[in-house]
Amino acid sequence: MPGQPKADNRPPYARIAGHYRDLIGSGELAPGDLLPSIRALANQWNVSTATADRAMKLLRDEKLVHGIPGVGTEVMARPVSLASGSERHDRSSKTKSSWGVGEKSSGHTAGMVPAPKDVARVLGIDPGDDVIRRSRVYRDAHGIVSHSTSWIPAEFARVLPELARSERLKGGLSLDLIAEATGRQVEQRIDEETARIATKEDLELLELDAETVAAILVLTARFLDVDGQLLEYGVDLGAPGRTRRTTSEVLR
């Protein structure tokens, strides 16, 4: 069976769907490409045609492919994706880079600033107290992916002064450096997603015209240590038109 992982315990239909999902995600299968017929899939993977059809249905439900009568199953144009700060943290723990496929970051700025009211509430400090603010813009071939801001307790500047410098960090994300320098690692993560009409400040950060009216997705993540103390508060402003998609298997 093509590309089947040795220790993959998922049902056959999920393995087949996962195989083609990976090919589509990597760009090896491009929009307009045709997948094998149901009968060909069944033969290649040594499964029933019903199982092969179920795999294709899963990909259709995820809007990755669509069926064309008399032609076959065609790869659709991929939605322009939006990654969360939590996904970037997970990615960095494995690769030491927060960039997704085809992404780059720019406009790295940092400094010690007075905490805005909403940030102070999350950090448990008074508005106007010192807080480290780090920001950057993520881009891919489609343009801006998101504007990302990390709010970090001021205490960490004593052991990691580079956190307050306007330059790209070396050796991983801020949370990686904090864990290495202090031993305080992320033990709990609280994610929230909120949709709103972009404010004037949002539009400026996303480099959009001031007259633009658009809905954006705001992704926040609180990263806590074993004692429930906040290590970082991340806020990502997703550019308009970006799609958030998660995939999970349903256990029966």
Side-chain angles (χ1 to χ4, degrees), residues 81-92:
S81 63
L82 169 63
S84 68
S86 294
E87 289 167 328
R88 297 187 187 285
H89 175 244
D90 290 341
R91 189 182 297 135
S92 178

Side-chain angles (χ1 to χ4, degrees), residues 175-196:
L175 288 165
D176 301 321
L177 301 184
I178 289 171
E180 184 177 346
T182 69
R184 295 173 63 184
Q185 300 186 18
V186 177
E187 295 291 337
Q188 184 182 25
R189 192 173 67 200
I190 302 172
D191 300 315
E192 293 184 353
E193 300 182 9
T194 305
R196 75 179 183 216

Side-chain angles (χ1 to χ4, degrees), residues 26-73:
S26 69
E28 189 170 340
L29 283 175
D33 286 348
L34 292 177
L35 272 58
S37 67
I38 296 299
R39 186 171 300 279
L41 283 172
N43 290 335
Q44 289 174 12
W45 290 80
N46 195 26
V47 297
S48 68
T49 54
T51 295
D53 186 61
R54 186 177 181 185
M56 293 301 99
K57 182 180 185 304
L58 183 58
L59 296 179
R60 290 196 299 271
D61 290 344
E62 294 174 8
K63 307 300 184 185
L64 295 177
V65 302
H66 68 132
I68 304 177
V71 177
T73 302

Side-chain angles (χ1 to χ4, degrees), residues 149-167:
T149 302
S150 299
W151 299 95
I152 306 169
E155 64 189 87
F156 291 118
R158 292 194 291 271
V159 291
L160 291 166
E162 61 266 40
L163 292 179
R165 297 175 187 152
S166 294
E167 56 189 36

